[in-house]
Amino acid sequence: MPGTPRLTDLEDSAWQGFLNTHHNLWRAIETGLARLQVSMAEYGVLSLLARAGKDGMRMSDLAQRQVMSTGGFTRLADRLERRGLIERRPAPEDGRGSVAVLTSEGRTLLRKAWRQHHDDLRRLFFDRLGETDLRDLTRVWARLQQSDVERESSAE
Amino acid sequence: MPGTPRLTDLEDSAWQGFLNTHHNLWRAIETGLARLQVSMAEYGVLSLLARAGKDGMRMSDLAQRQVMSTGGFTRLADRLERRGLIERRPAPEDGRGSVAVLTSEGRTLLRKAWRQHHDDLRRLFFDRLGETDLRDLTRVWARLQQSDVERESSAE
DNA sequence: ACTAACTCGCTGCGCAGGCAACTATATTCC
DNA sequence: GGAATATAGTTGCCTGCGCAGCGAGTTAGT
């Protein structure tokens, strides 16, 4: 297949490794959380709410932090609320909005999920990497995140 | 929130950076491909088929390489076939199976997608990293992939 | 104060993908 | 060779999410 842009072997393995590793880690960690019936997305929301404390967080802020559409987030919140893990309250000072707050059941479940997540992460990620690796990674993330990753495509 | 397992700042930024970077890159690249009406998954299949050549590949092999369920893959293949990008042929030597083969339209579209993907990747990833970075990354991927990432969770 | 423009969250719709059940063929075991 | 079992691919059903459109509420402009 001539005329096609080529990658070096090193480039290819850096990129493919990135994709594969992410995929595998994600799956493994999601599977760990699944035993508590918690998805990655749900875990993320519960964590954010735990950090937010008793005043909770606005729905739209949560959606944004989770990088989800607000529509999708509404339903995620529905599921969590139906399970009694969060509560919706009218937002103070804004009649349109709501804030979501963690219930005590939510907090209890989160604690278990936290432990699970943490243990899996340690076993699958941190135990396998040294401090140098971690520093190398953060250096790379910093370079990649430089300001304009979200600028969409160019090629004419 | 006491009693919860803690990560160091370095650990946290290595992990969060991993997730965020992946998310951003994935989205940007997917958006690039979208202008050709090609999803990441479709792109992956077309690429595999291009590499496979005129004998194509078995459906189940493709599903496996794409890390998808066979059910899901059937429909992905349906979509590609409906668009005339691939063809299904009965598998030689096995009356149950089929092989998928790239059509010439498929090859044509893939070439465009390839270029788009390549350009985006270069701009978003390779242009921002040096050879050292790439080597650091592959070293990390190797450590993380060490044999048992797929062993599901432990923590009792 | 009244309207226009915007914002917040929800809903209907559509799509991609997983899982489990099924069909058709292959393989194995007697 | 025939029955039991395994495998390839398809299908039905379900879930989770994005998108576009909405109703209620807020803010800005005059």
Side-chain angles (χ1 to χ4, degrees), chain A residues 59-60 74-75 88 96 98:
Chain A
M59 298 284 286
S60 40
T74 292
R75 292 158 220 253
R88 269 184 255 230
R96 294 165 299 182
S98 331

Short mmCIF file of all heavy atoms in Angstrom, two decimals, chain A residues 59-60 74-75 88 96 98, chain C residues 7-13:
data_model
loop_
_atom_site.label_atom_id
_atom_site.label_comp_id
_atom_site.label_asym_id
_atom_site.label_seq_id
_atom_site.Cartn_x
_atom_site.Cartn_y
_atom_site.Cartn_z
N MET A 59 -26.04 20.24 38.72
CA MET A 59 -26.13 19.20 37.70
C MET A 59 -25.21 19.49 36.51
O MET A 59 -24.46 18.64 36.05
CB MET A 59 -27.56 19.08 37.18
CG MET A 59 -28.57 18.70 38.22
SD MET A 59 -28.47 16.95 38.63
CE MET A 59 -29.22 16.25 37.15
N SER A 60 -25.31 20.70 36.01
CA SER A 60 -24.55 20.99 34.80
C SER A 60 -23.04 20.97 35.06
O SER A 60 -22.27 20.56 34.19
CB SER A 60 -24.97 22.33 34.23
OG SER A 60 -25.16 23.26 35.25
N THR A 74 -28.48 13.71 32.99
CA THR A 74 -29.78 13.65 33.65
C THR A 74 -30.13 12.20 34.00
O THR A 74 -30.56 11.89 35.10
CB THR A 74 -30.87 14.23 32.75
OG1 THR A 74 -30.65 15.64 32.63
CG2 THR A 74 -32.24 14.00 33.33
N ARG A 75 -29.92 11.33 33.03
CA ARG A 75 -30.31 9.94 33.27
C ARG A 75 -29.37 9.23 34.22
O ARG A 75 -29.79 8.40 35.01
CB ARG A 75 -30.37 9.18 31.95
CG ARG A 75 -31.51 9.70 31.11
CD ARG A 75 -31.29 9.38 29.66
NE ARG A 75 -31.70 10.49 28.81
CZ ARG A 75 -32.80 10.47 28.07
NH1 ARG A 75 -33.58 9.44 28.09
NH2 ARG A 75 -33.10 11.51 27.32
N ARG A 88 -31.58 14.98 44.71
CA ARG A 88 -31.64 16.26 44.01
C ARG A 88 -32.33 17.27 44.89
O ARG A 88 -33.39 16.97 45.46
CB ARG A 88 -32.41 16.11 42.71
CG ARG A 88 -31.54 15.76 41.52
CD ARG A 88 -32.35 15.72 40.27
NE ARG A 88 -32.57 14.33 39.87
CZ ARG A 88 -32.33 13.87 38.65
NH1 ARG A 88 -31.89 14.67 37.70
NH2 ARG A 88 -32.55 12.61 38.36
N ARG A 96 -34.15 27.46 38.28
CA ARG A 96 -34.12 26.49 37.19
C ARG A 96 -33.42 25.22 37.60
O ARG A 96 -33.80 24.12 37.23
CB ARG A 96 -33.36 27.08 35.99
CG ARG A 96 -34.00 28.25 35.36
CD ARG A 96 -33.03 28.96 34.45
NE ARG A 96 -31.86 29.47 35.19
CZ ARG A 96 -30.88 30.15 34.64
NH1 ARG A 96 -30.89 30.38 33.34
NH2 ARG A 96 -29.88 30.59 35.38
N SER A 98 -30.86 22.37 39.82
CA SER A 98 -30.81 21.55 41.02
C SER A 98 -29.36 21.32 41.39
O SER A 98 -28.48 21.41 40.54
CB SER A 98 -31.43 20.17 40.80
OG SER A 98 -32.43 20.21 39.84
P DT C 7 -26.04 31.41 27.52
OP1 DT C 7 -24.71 31.79 28.00
OP2 DT C 7 -26.23 30.56 26.32
"O5'" DT C 7 -26.81 30.69 28.73
"C5'" DT C 7 -26.98 31.41 29.94
"C4'" DT C 7 -27.67 30.50 30.94
"O4'" DT C 7 -29.07 30.41 30.60
"C3'" DT C 7 -27.12 29.07 30.92
"O3'" DT C 7 -26.91 28.71 32.27
"C2'" DT C 7 -28.23 28.27 30.24
"C1'" DT C 7 -29.47 29.06 30.63
N1 DT C 7 -30.63 28.97 29.71
C2 DT C 7 -31.87 28.81 30.25
O2 DT C 7 -32.07 28.72 31.45
N3 DT C 7 -32.89 28.75 29.34
C4 DT C 7 -32.79 28.84 27.96
O4 DT C 7 -33.79 28.79 27.24
C5 DT C 7 -31.45 29.00 27.45
C7 DT C 7 -31.22 29.10 25.98
C6 DT C 7 -30.44 29.05 28.34
P DC C 8 -26.36 27.32 32.72
OP1 DC C 8 -25.50 27.52 33.90
OP2 DC C 8 -25.87 26.59 31.53
"O5'" DC C 8 -27.69 26.59 33.20
"C5'" DC C 8 -28.26 26.91 34.46
"C4'" DC C 8 -29.36 25.92 34.71
"O4'" DC C 8 -30.33 26.10 33.67
"C3'" DC C 8 -28.89 24.47 34.61
"O3'" DC C 8 -29.11 23.82 35.87
"C2'" DC C 8 -29.71 23.86 33.49
"C1'" DC C 8 -30.83 24.86 33.27
N1 DC C 8 -31.27 25.02 31.85
C2 DC C 8 -32.63 24.93 31.52
O2 DC C 8 -33.45 24.69 32.41
N3 DC C 8 -33.00 25.10 30.23
C4 DC C 8 -32.09 25.38 29.30
N4 DC C 8 -32.50 25.56 28.05
C5 DC C 8 -30.70 25.48 29.62
C6 DC C 8 -30.34 25.30 30.90
P DG C 9 -28.51 22.44 36.20
OP1 DG C 9 -28.42 22.26 37.65
OP2 DG C 9 -27.32 22.27 35.36
"O5'" DG C 9 -29.66 21.49 35.67
"C5'" DG C 9 -30.90 21.48 36.37
"C4'" DG C 9 -31.94 20.80 35.52
"O4'" DG C 9 -32.00 21.45 34.24
"C3'" DG C 9 -31.68 19.33 35.23
"O3'" DG C 9 -32.72 18.59 35.84
"C2'" DG C 9 -31.67 19.24 33.72
"C1'" DG C 9 -32.41 20.50 33.30
N9 DG C 9 -32.04 20.98 31.98
C8 DG C 9 -30.79 21.27 31.51
N7 DG C 9 -30.77 21.69 30.27
C5 DG C 9 -32.11 21.66 29.90
C6 DG C 9 -32.71 22.00 28.67
O6 DG C 9 -32.17 22.40 27.63
N1 DG C 9 -34.10 21.84 28.72
C2 DG C 9 -34.80 21.40 29.83
N2 DG C 9 -36.12 21.30 29.70
N3 DG C 9 -34.26 21.09 30.98
C4 DG C 9 -32.91 21.24 30.95
P DC C 10 -32.92 17.03 35.57
OP1 DC C 10 -33.63 16.49 36.75
OP2 DC C 10 -31.64 16.43 35.15
"O5'" DC C 10 -33.95 17.02 34.35
"C5'" DC C 10 -35.22 17.59 34.54
"C4'" DC C 10 -36.14 17.26 33.38
"O4'" DC C 10 -35.67 17.96 32.20
"C3'" DC C 10 -36.20 15.79 33.01
"O3'" DC C 10 -37.57 15.46 32.79
"C2'" DC C 10 -35.38 15.69 31.73
"C1'" DC C 10 -35.58 17.06 31.12
N1 DC C 10 -34.44 17.53 30.29
C2 DC C 10 -34.65 17.94 28.97
O2 DC C 10 -35.80 17.90 28.52
N3 DC C 10 -33.60 18.37 28.24
C4 DC C 10 -32.38 18.41 28.77
N4 DC C 10 -31.38 18.85 28.01
C5 DC C 10 -32.14 17.99 30.11
C6 DC C 10 -33.19 17.56 30.84
P DT C 11 -38.01 13.96 32.49
OP1 DT C 11 -39.34 13.78 33.08
OP2 DT C 11 -36.88 13.06 32.80
"O5'" DT C 11 -38.20 13.96 30.90
"C5'" DT C 11 -39.25 14.74 30.33
"C4'" DT C 11 -39.23 14.53 28.83
"O4'" DT C 11 -38.04 15.13 28.29
"C3'" DT C 11 -39.21 13.05 28.42
"O3'" DT C 11 -40.29 12.82 27.53
"C2'" DT C 11 -37.86 12.86 27.75
"C1'" DT C 11 -37.50 14.27 27.30
N1 DT C 11 -36.05 14.57 27.25
C2 DT C 11 -35.55 15.13 26.11
O2 DT C 11 -36.23 15.40 25.14
N3 DT C 11 -34.20 15.37 26.15
C4 DT C 11 -33.33 15.11 27.19
O4 DT C 11 -32.14 15.38 27.10
C5 DT C 11 -33.92 14.51 28.35
C7 DT C 11 -33.07 14.19 29.53
C6 DT C 11 -35.24 14.27 28.33
P DG C 12 -40.54 11.36 26.92
OP1 DG C 12 -41.99 11.12 26.91
OP2 DG C 12 -39.64 10.39 27.58
"O5'" DG C 12 -40.04 11.56 25.41
"C5'" DG C 12 -40.57 12.63 24.63
"C4'" DG C 12 -40.13 12.49 23.19
"O4'" DG C 12 -38.75 12.90 23.07
"C3'" DG C 12 -40.18 11.07 22.63
"O3'" DG C 12 -40.49 11.13 21.23
"C2'" DG C 12 -38.77 10.54 22.88
"C1'" DG C 12 -37.93 11.80 22.70
N9 DG C 12 -36.74 11.85 23.55
C8 DG C 12 -36.65 11.44 24.85
N7 DG C 12 -35.46 11.61 25.36
C5 DG C 12 -34.72 12.17 24.33
C6 DG C 12 -33.37 12.58 24.29
O6 DG C 12 -32.52 12.52 25.19
N1 DG C 12 -33.02 13.10 23.05
C2 DG C 12 -33.87 13.21 21.99
N2 DG C 12 -33.36 13.73 20.88
N3 DG C 12 -35.14 12.84 22.01
C4 DG C 12 -35.49 12.32 23.21
P DC C 13 -40.64 9.79 20.38
OP1 DC C 13 -41.64 10.09 19.33
OP2 DC C 13 -40.82 8.62 21.28
"O5'" DC C 13 -39.22 9.68 19.68
"C5'" DC C 13 -38.75 10.75 18.86
"C4'" DC C 13 -37.33 10.48 18.43
"O4'" DC C 13 -36.45 10.66 19.56
"C3'" DC C 13 -37.08 9.06 17.93
"O3'" DC C 13 -36.59 9.11 16.59
"C2'" DC C 13 -36.07 8.48 18.90
"C1'" DC C 13 -35.40 9.73 19.46
N1 DC C 13 -34.81 9.52 20.81
C2 DC C 13 -33.49 9.89 21.04
O2 DC C 13 -32.84 10.39 20.12
N3 DC C 13 -32.94 9.69 22.27
C4 DC C 13 -33.68 9.15 23.25
N4 DC C 13 -33.10 8.99 24.43
C5 DC C 13 -35.03 8.76 23.04
C6 DC C 13 -35.57 8.96 21.81
#
